Amino acid sequence: MTNDDVRVGVFVCHCGRNIAATVDVHAVAEYAKTLPNVVYVKENIYTCAEPGQNEIKAGIKEHNLNRVVVAACSPKLHEPTFRECVAEAGLNKYLFEMVNIREHCSWVHMRDRENTMKKACDLVKSGVAKASRLKPLEDITVGVEKAAMVIGGGVAGCQAALDLGSMGFKTYLVEREPSIGGIMAQLDKTLPTLDCSICILGPKLVDTGKHKNIDLIANAEVKNVSGYVGNFDVEVEIKPRYVDDVKCNGCGACVDVCPVILPNKYDMNLKPRKAIYASFAQAVPLRFNIDVDRCTKCGLCMKACDKHAINFNQQPKTRNMRVGTIIVAVGCEPFDATRKKEYGYGKYENVINSMEFERIICASGPTGGELVRKDGSHAKKVAFIQCVGSRDEKVGNKYCSLYCCAASIKQAMLIKEHDPDAQVAIFYMDMRTHGKGYEDLYDRAREAGIMFIRGRPSEIKENSKNKNVVVVVENTLMNEIMEEEFDMAVLALGMQPTENAKRISTLLHIPADTSGFFMESHPKLKPVDTPIDGIYLAGASAQPRDIKDSVMSASAAAARAGIPMTAGKVSVEGITSVVDLSKCKVCGICAQRCPYGAITVDTQKNTTSVLGASCKGCGTCVADCPFGALEQNHFTDEQIFAQIDALLEEEPEKKIVSFNCNWCSYAGADLAGVSRFQYPANVRIIRVMCSGRVSKDMVLRAFEKGAGMVLVAPCHPADCHYISGNVWAKKRIDEQLRATLQKSGVEPRRLRFFYISAAEGLIYANLINEMNKELQENLEKWKGQKLVRAGAKKVEAKPA
Amino acid sequence: MQISKYSDAKRTVVDNRLWAMKNSLVLEKNMCIVCDVCSKACPMEAVVLSSAGVDIDEKKCNLCEVCAYVCPTGAINIFSDKNKKEILRQSGGFPSFPKKLEIKVEKCPKDCVECEKACDMTTGGAIKVVSHKVIDVSEKCLRCVKCAEACPEGAIKVNPVFFGDIEINAEKCPTGCVECVDVCPTRAIKEKNGKVLLEKKYCVFCGACEVVCPAKDKGALVMKRNIMVSNGDGFSAIWTNALEKLTSTKSLAAAYNSINSEKLRKLALESQMVEEK
Ligand SMILES: Cc1cc2nc3c(=O)[nH]c(=O)nc-3n(C[C@H](O)[C@H](O)[C@H](O)COP(=O)(O)OP(=O)(O)OC[C@H]3O[C@@H](n4cnc5c(N)ncnc54)[C@H](O)[C@@H]3O)c2cc1C
Ligand code: SF4
């Protein structure tokens, strides 16, 4: 089998004790020496550290290696590191293959050393088999449009736009509401210094509005996004205001005459506005809007407007632009307190939420800043209830919203500032005042006589006589149940993702985590990048954040977005599809599969072509080409078949072959590893970029080789990193292949199709446990089922 | 939104309650004669009219005031906190209507209460003789002409708001039906020998009979308002809409053609709020 031209070097990592504690690294290294094409094997304590990398470079030089395999952690962590390392030693970076014996092996089978060993060896064998067949590839370089888009104009969005604009990039800032400002514009004072929110935000909004590089598009939504890093084509729909932006000079004469009084959303519906209105006094842009749904069309505003700016004929407008990068700053949304029935929000008039409190205590609010109840009396005794909609599994929000402990202290201090005699109590589970200066605020609050009572209230009742609220709580420090009457209760709302986060997520193909916030590319090292190149996160759209953190993340995102725009070009991985025109029959199936329009089928000229820069490398077209005319670079049929064969050489009937997509289930399995969720060691994972790449033949090949079970694990239906790869995988594998298996004498149960997200490590571990149980029960029966196939596509795993 | 509605035997209240401010529509049921004037005038079609009475769809109602202006008996009022909300009229969007009665009290003979007696028999005490120098006219007054007729001195002038045509074709009425007789607030419709009889001069074109008539489609009752009298024009589409719905497109055109509304007509056409007639 040995091919003289191929010289593979294998580097096996101890990762300190992370791998070595469970896997006998030395034995794996010895085993690697026996594999075909392997000419050099080396153990490293930390392959990724500089000495380890130097050993790789030395190996390449001294042993003339032309393929490198590193058996260590997940390629999602260090593949880029090692690719760079081999490139520095003069090797094409695609002649490198990574074997995951940490997340997928040592960390998840800690109690079964024997089988863990077998697995580690198998994985190395599979890696070597693939490496032997690797071909050098070149990255594709594409130009980057020197313009950016920021979606969402809260404090984070404004900061990001200002930073980008000041770097000199044309920046489009798209805001859904008629004015920018977000939640911060609604706040009275900001913690920890209690300075006026709109006074510090207002100037920033004005700067944003008049910055020469910022094109502020308010009252608009992003409708469509296509393209890739450097070249996103965005379609924005601007909703009609029914007031001409250019003619309107913001005088407000129309407002006086409008007879329609409606609650103002900006004031949390506590203060009136007219059907024609500007969101708030400091709105940017300061333009008026007509709420057409509620307008009586009386026309009085038309009469009042000297500028003839009112135009009921306005239609939605569409603008198209090309940008190089996108920053998502759509923020978050306070929790809907009516969901916590036990607190009586919406039922009892003196239970209000923290956003309403901000408006009531604000001098420009409905009561001119007086803490007045609905019945007009002053509230003298106020309770704050923490963690409403946070740290609460019952409502589905397990996380801490971070800002609300400090925000409630701030609000309590504001009450004391207005009325030193007022009594204020804060009911909390834990006080979390994590930020700079926050603990000082907490101290000052205690000095000011604010009471802190530990315990999550179980209920709020109403005293029907005076409409006071009665808080029922177990004081966990005193170990007593108490019922205390207050004039008013304020619910400290948690933050949750905005209701349109899902839409943005599908539009931009950026995944969200289990709580619905957008996911970072890496929670620590790439906290403002999304998994999609060229798209970044700012502010509370990624997680609950206070203003300072929102602004910081916004500047970080702007800096990150500036990198490709400054460079003017980015390179796209060379793992694209290629057409073999000699086999292509120009049937057009591949073009239907491609969600990026990267494939052009020309029936006139009888050719098919793939545009490399647009191809993202999912491989869906390859798997569905009926003539085998397409191939995905770096994930060729030949390479993957070689992996399957290698993994199933010994005791195949006991093994589960798992095809995992790079973005979801592979990362999910990584998460199982990081979390040390244990599962049986007989599963063998083959990494593909997308489940769409898994062809029928791959599954059949595995059964042909006698695999006990096969699992194809895509992203959840709407989450595919390549938009629709998993849809085609489902059609092909889940819907069509079972019948074939049945006919060929293989029980369809042996094939599993199961969605696993990057966050579902535990579900993956449980699934393998469950599959293994079934496999053990049917071991003898299934062993006898031989796959018989006629006329299948023949791909031999030839040596390279 | 904190718009709520509650209703009891006496009144229906649509309450748009903002923290420290209360905007509300109050419909006094005992004053409501269940005519169709408000329902026609409402630009948001928020008035739900049935023979059972008038109801307000709080989801549609904008508290725009128009119903309060047109209500013949003042049964509907719109408040902003404790004060009447009259932005529409103050901004010139809706005209006022002529004073209900003009009484020359100097003509009144001492101790004469003929007008009060005549009214008592019909709408129930809308006019009250306090002394022979002071005569109170309440909002209840429907502008029927009974008091004027009864006045021995001809001291009372009634200013109608609607002019129109009304006809009852008794032969088309279902046998024994006296629905209209029951609801007519001015008793312009009476029953005589099992037949329905109309005294046209008392009709104020409120339309209450039309609301209940089961055979109006068959032509048993035909009512048409032709003219609505107001003190000048309102400069708003609410006014023109009310005119159009309550009277006829003819008088709408007349309003448009008055010099005052020329600008509005142009604006309204421009913005397609109304179609060109
Ligand atoms: C009651 C309360 C009190 C607080 N007090 C403090 C405090 O004292 N100090 C402090 O540091 N922090 C405080 N915070 C937190 C602070 O409000 C947030 O940190 C901050 O608002 C986050 O800013 P942002 O720009 O990320 O999001 P947001 O302020 O939520 O802004 C997001 C913007 O994006 C827009 N948007 C949403 N979807 C789209 C879309 N699809 N297209 C276009 N635009 C879209 C929204 O309209 C909005 O303008 C408080 C929060 C609350 C709820
Ligand atoms: S910050 Fe405080 S109130 Fe907010 S969720 Fe965390 S612990 Fe609860």
Side-chain angles (χ1 to χ4, degrees), chain B residues 103-156:
Chain B
I103 307 172
K104 296 206 171 82
V105 276
E106 64 278 10
K107 285 193 183 172
C108 291
K110 221 173 177 183
D111 301 331
C112 169
V113 285
E114 287 307 316
C115 56
E116 194 177 314
K117 265 159 64 194
C119 186
D120 263 345
M121 292 184 331
T122 56
T123 49
I127 184 164
K128 210 169 172 68
V129 182
V130 181
S131 75
H132 72 286
K133 292 237 165 66
V134 185
I135 296 177
D136 269 359
V137 180
S138 85
E139 279 197 282
K140 275 195 215 166
C141 166
L142 282 166
R143 309 172 193 256
C144 80
V145 292
K146 289 194 176 160
C147 55
E149 260 184 15
C151 180
E153 297 297 325
I156 304 179

Coordinates of all heavy atoms in Angstrom, one line a residue, chain B residues 103-156:
Chain B
I103 N -84.8 81.7 22.5 CA -86.0 82.0 23.2 C -86.0 83.5 23.5 O -85.0 84.0 24.1 CB -86.2 81.2 24.5 CG1 -86.0 79.7 24.2 CG2 -87.5 81.5 25.2 CD1 -86.0 78.8 25.4
K104 N -87.0 84.2 23.1 CA -87.1 85.6 23.5 C -87.9 85.7 24.8 O -89.1 85.8 24.8 CB -87.9 86.4 22.4 CG -87.1 86.4 21.0 CD -87.6 87.6 20.3 CE -86.7 87.8 19.0 NZ -87.2 87.0 17.9
V105 N -87.1 85.6 25.9 CA -87.7 85.5 27.2 C -88.6 86.7 27.5 O -89.5 86.7 28.3 CB -86.7 85.3 28.4 CG1 -86.4 83.8 28.5 CG2 -85.5 86.1 28.2
E106 N -88.2 87.9 26.9 CA -89.0 89.1 27.2 C -90.4 88.9 26.8 O -91.3 89.6 27.3 CB -88.3 90.3 26.6 CG -88.3 90.4 25.1 CD -87.1 89.6 24.5 OE1 -86.4 88.8 25.2 OE2 -86.9 89.7 23.3
K107 N -90.7 88.0 25.9 CA -92.1 87.8 25.5 C -92.8 86.9 26.4 O -94.1 86.8 26.3 CB -92.1 87.2 24.1 CG -91.7 88.1 22.9 CD -92.1 87.5 21.6 CE -91.7 88.4 20.4 NZ -92.0 87.6 19.2
C108 N -92.1 86.2 27.2 CA -92.8 85.1 28.0 C -93.8 85.7 29.0 O -93.4 86.6 29.8 CB -91.8 84.3 28.8 SG -90.8 83.3 27.8
P109 N -95.0 85.3 29.0 CA -96.0 85.7 30.0 C -95.6 85.1 31.3 O -95.1 84.0 31.4 CB -97.3 85.1 29.5 CG -97.1 84.5 28.2 CD -95.6 84.3 28.1
K110 N -95.9 85.8 32.4 CA -95.7 85.3 33.7 C -96.5 84.0 33.9 O -97.6 83.9 33.4 CB -96.1 86.4 34.7 CG -95.1 86.5 35.9 CD -95.4 87.6 36.8 CE -94.4 87.6 37.9 NZ -94.7 88.6 38.9
D111 N -95.9 83.1 34.6 CA -96.5 81.8 35.0 C -96.9 80.9 33.8 O -97.5 79.9 34.0 CB -97.8 82.0 35.8 CG -97.5 82.8 37.0 OD1 -96.4 82.7 37.5 OD2 -98.4 83.6 37.5
C112 N -96.4 81.2 32.6 CA -96.7 80.3 31.5 C -95.7 79.2 31.5 O -94.5 79.4 31.6 CB -96.7 81.1 30.2 SG -96.7 80.0 28.7
V113 N -96.2 77.9 31.4 CA -95.3 76.8 31.4 C -95.7 75.9 30.2 O -95.4 74.7 30.2 CB -95.3 76.0 32.7 CG1 -94.5 76.7 33.8 CG2 -96.7 75.6 33.1
E114 N -96.3 76.5 29.2 CA -96.8 75.7 28.0 C -95.6 74.9 27.4 O -95.8 73.8 27.0 CB -97.4 76.6 27.0 CG -98.8 77.2 27.4 CD -99.8 76.1 27.8 OE1 -99.8 75.0 27.1 OE2 -100.4 76.3 28.8
C115 N -94.5 75.6 27.2 CA -93.4 74.9 26.5 C -93.0 73.7 27.3 O -92.8 72.6 26.8 CB -92.2 75.9 26.3 SG -91.6 76.7 27.7
E116 N -92.8 73.9 28.6 CA -92.4 72.8 29.5 C -93.4 71.6 29.4 O -93.0 70.5 29.3 CB -92.3 73.3 30.9 CG -91.5 72.3 31.8 CD -91.3 72.9 33.2 OE1 -91.0 74.1 33.3 OE2 -91.6 72.1 34.1
K117 N -94.7 72.0 29.4 CA -95.7 70.9 29.3 C -95.6 70.2 28.0 O -95.6 69.0 27.9 CB -97.1 71.5 29.5 CG -97.5 71.5 30.9 CD -98.6 72.5 31.3 CE -99.9 72.2 30.6 NZ -100.8 73.4 30.7
A118 N -95.4 70.9 26.9 CA -95.4 70.3 25.6 C -94.2 69.4 25.5 O -94.3 68.2 25.0 CB -95.3 71.4 24.5
C119 N -93.1 69.8 26.1 CA -91.9 69.0 26.0 C -92.0 67.8 26.9 O -91.6 66.7 26.5 CB -90.7 69.8 26.4 SG -89.1 68.9 26.2
D120 N -92.5 68.0 28.1 CA -92.7 66.9 29.0 C -93.3 65.7 28.3 O -93.0 64.5 28.6 CB -93.6 67.3 30.2 CG -92.7 67.7 31.3 OD1 -91.5 67.3 31.3 OD2 -93.2 68.3 32.2
M121 N -94.3 66.0 27.4 CA -95.0 64.9 26.8 C -94.2 64.2 25.8 O -94.5 63.1 25.5 CB -96.2 65.5 26.0 CG -97.2 66.1 27.0 SD -98.7 66.7 26.2 CE -98.3 67.2 24.6
T122 N -93.1 64.8 25.4 CA -92.3 64.1 24.4 C -91.0 63.6 24.9 O -90.9 62.5 25.4 CB -92.1 65.0 23.2 OG1 -91.5 66.2 23.6 CG2 -93.4 65.3 22.5
T123 N -90.0 64.4 24.8 CA -88.7 63.9 25.2 C -88.4 64.0 26.7 O -87.3 63.7 27.1 CB -87.6 64.7 24.4 OG1 -87.9 66.1 24.6 CG2 -87.6 64.4 23.0
G124 N -89.2 64.4 27.4 CA -89.0 64.3 28.8 C -88.2 65.4 29.4 O -87.1 65.2 29.9
G125 N -88.7 66.6 29.4 CA -88.2 67.7 30.2 C -86.9 68.3 29.7 O -85.9 68.5 30.5
A126 N -86.8 68.5 28.4 CA -85.5 69.2 28.0 C -85.6 70.7 28.2 O -84.6 71.3 28.2 CB -85.3 68.8 26.5
I127 N -86.8 71.2 28.3 CA -86.9 72.6 28.5 C -87.6 72.8 29.9 O -88.5 72.1 30.2 CB -87.7 73.3 27.3 CG1 -87.8 74.8 27.5 CG2 -89.1 72.7 27.2 CD1 -88.2 75.5 26.2
K128 N -87.1 73.8 30.6 CA -87.6 73.9 31.9 C -87.7 75.4 32.2 O -86.8 76.2 32.0 CB -86.6 73.3 32.9 CG -87.2 72.8 34.2 CD -86.2 72.0 35.0 CE -86.8 71.6 36.3 NZ -87.9 70.7 36.2
V129 N -88.9 75.8 32.7 CA -89.1 77.2 33.0 C -88.7 77.4 34.5 O -89.4 76.9 35.4 CB -90.6 77.5 32.8 CG1 -90.8 79.0 33.1 CG2 -91.1 77.2 31.4
V130 N -87.6 78.1 34.7 CA -87.2 78.3 36.0 C -88.0 79.5 36.6 O -88.5 79.5 37.7 CB -85.7 78.6 36.1 CG1 -85.2 78.8 37.5 CG2 -84.9 77.4 35.4
S131 N -88.0 80.6 35.8 CA -88.9 81.7 36.1 C -89.3 82.3 34.8 O -88.7 81.8 33.7 CB -88.1 82.8 36.9 OG -87.3 83.5 36.0
H132 N -90.1 83.2 34.7 CA -90.5 83.7 33.4 C -89.4 84.5 32.7 O -89.5 84.9 31.6 CB -91.8 84.5 33.5 CG -91.6 85.9 34.1 ND1 -91.4 86.0 35.4 CD2 -91.5 87.1 33.6 CE1 -91.2 87.3 35.7 NE2 -91.3 88.0 34.6
K133 N -88.3 84.6 33.4 CA -87.1 85.3 32.8 C -86.0 84.3 32.4 O -85.1 84.6 31.7 CB -86.6 86.3 33.8 CG -87.5 87.5 34.0 CD -86.8 88.8 33.6 CE -87.8 89.9 33.4 NZ -88.4 90.3 34.7
V134 N -86.1 83.1 33.1 CA -85.0 82.2 32.9 C -85.6 80.8 32.4 O -86.5 80.2 33.1 CB -84.2 81.9 34.2 CG1 -83.1 81.0 33.9 CG2 -83.8 83.2 34.8
I135 N -85.2 80.4 31.2 CA -85.7 79.1 30.7 C -84.5 78.3 30.3 O -83.6 78.7 29.6 CB -86.6 79.3 29.5 CG1 -87.9 80.1 30.0 CG2 -87.0 78.0 28.9 CD1 -88.8 80.4 28.9
D136 N -84.4 77.2 31.0 CA -83.3 76.3 30.8 C -83.5 75.3 29.6 O -84.6 74.7 29.6 CB -83.0 75.4 32.0 CG -82.1 76.1 33.0 OD1 -81.6 77.2 32.6 OD2 -81.8 75.5 34.0
V137 N -82.5 75.2 28.7 CA -82.7 74.2 27.7 C -81.5 73.2 27.9 O -80.4 73.6 27.9 CB -82.6 74.8 26.3 CG1 -82.7 73.7 25.2 CG2 -83.6 75.9 26.1
S138 N -81.9 71.9 28.1 CA -80.8 71.0 28.3 C -80.3 70.3 27.0 O -80.9 70.5 26.0 CB -81.2 69.9 29.3 OG -81.9 68.9 28.6
E139 N -79.2 69.6 27.2 CA -78.6 68.9 26.0 C -79.6 67.9 25.4 O -79.5 67.5 24.2 CB -77.3 68.2 26.4 CG -76.2 69.2 26.4 CD -74.9 68.4 26.4 OE1 -74.5 67.8 27.4 OE2 -74.3 68.3 25.3
K140 N -80.5 67.5 26.2 CA -81.5 66.5 25.8 C -82.3 66.9 24.6 O -82.9 66.1 23.9 CB -82.4 66.1 26.9 CG -81.9 65.1 27.9 CD -83.1 64.6 28.7 CE -82.7 64.3 30.1 NZ -83.9 64.2 31.0
C141 N -82.5 68.2 24.5 CA -83.4 68.8 23.5 C -83.1 68.3 22.1 O -81.9 68.3 21.7 CB -83.3 70.3 23.5 SG -84.1 71.0 22.1
L142 N -84.1 67.8 21.4 CA -83.8 67.2 20.1 C -84.2 68.1 19.0 O -84.1 67.7 17.8 CB -84.6 65.9 20.0 CG -84.0 64.7 20.7 CD1 -85.1 63.6 20.8 CD2 -82.8 64.2 20.0
R143 N -84.6 69.3 19.3 CA -85.0 70.2 18.2 C -86.2 69.9 17.5 O -86.4 70.1 16.3 CB -83.8 70.5 17.2 CG -82.5 70.8 17.8 CD -81.4 70.7 16.7 NE -80.1 70.7 17.2 CZ -79.3 71.8 17.3 NH1 -79.6 72.9 16.8 NH2 -78.0 71.7 17.7
C144 N -87.1 69.1 18.1 CA -88.4 68.9 17.6 C -89.2 70.2 17.8 O -88.7 71.1 18.5 CB -89.2 67.8 18.3 SG -90.0 68.2 19.8
V145 N -90.3 70.5 17.2 CA -90.7 71.9 17.3 C -91.9 72.0 18.3 O -92.6 73.0 18.3 CB -91.2 72.4 15.9 CG1 -89.9 72.6 15.0 CG2 -92.1 71.4 15.3
K146 N -92.0 71.0 19.2 CA -93.2 71.0 20.0 C -93.4 72.2 20.9 O -94.5 72.8 21.1 CB -93.3 69.7 20.8 CG -93.6 68.6 19.8 CD -94.0 67.3 20.5 CE -94.4 66.3 19.4 NZ -94.4 65.0 19.9
C147 N -92.3 72.6 21.6 CA -92.4 73.8 22.5 C -92.7 75.0 21.7 O -93.5 75.8 22.2 CB -91.1 73.9 23.3 SG -89.6 74.0 22.2
A148 N -92.1 75.2 20.5 CA -92.4 76.4 19.8 C -93.8 76.4 19.4 O -94.5 77.5 19.4 CB -91.5 76.4 18.5
E149 N -94.4 75.2 19.0 CA -95.8 75.2 18.6 C -96.7 75.6 19.8 O -97.7 76.2 19.6 CB -96.1 73.7 18.3 CG -96.2 73.5 16.8 CD -96.6 72.1 16.5 OE1 -97.1 71.4 17.4 OE2 -96.4 71.7 15.3
A150 N -96.3 75.1 21.0 CA -97.1 75.3 22.2 C -97.0 76.7 22.7 O -97.9 77.2 23.4 CB -96.7 74.3 23.3
C151 N -96.0 77.5 22.3 CA -95.8 78.8 22.9 C -96.8 79.8 22.4 O -97.0 80.0 21.2 CB -94.4 79.3 22.5 SG -94.1 81.0 23.2
P152 N -97.6 80.3 23.3 CA -98.7 81.2 22.9 C -98.2 82.5 22.3 O -98.9 83.1 21.6 CB -99.4 81.5 24.2 CG -98.4 81.2 25.3 CD -97.5 80.1 24.8
E153 N -96.9 82.8 22.6 CA -96.4 84.1 22.2 C -95.4 84.0 21.0 O -94.9 85.0 20.5 CB -95.6 84.8 23.3 CG -96.5 85.2 24.5 CD -97.6 86.2 24.1 OE1 -97.3 87.1 23.3 OE2 -98.7 86.1 24.7
G154 N -95.2 82.8 20.5 CA -94.2 82.6 19.4 C -92.8 83.0 19.8 O -92.1 83.6 19.0
A155 N -92.5 82.8 21.1 CA -91.2 83.3 21.6 C -90.0 82.4 21.3 O -88.9 82.7 21.5 CB -91.3 83.6 23.1
I156 N -90.4 81.2 20.8 CA -89.3 80.2 20.7 C -89.0 79.9 19.2 O -89.9 79.7 18.4 CB -89.7 78.9 21.4 CG1 -90.0 79.1 22.8 CG2 -88.6 77.8 21.2 CD1 -90.4 77.9 23.6

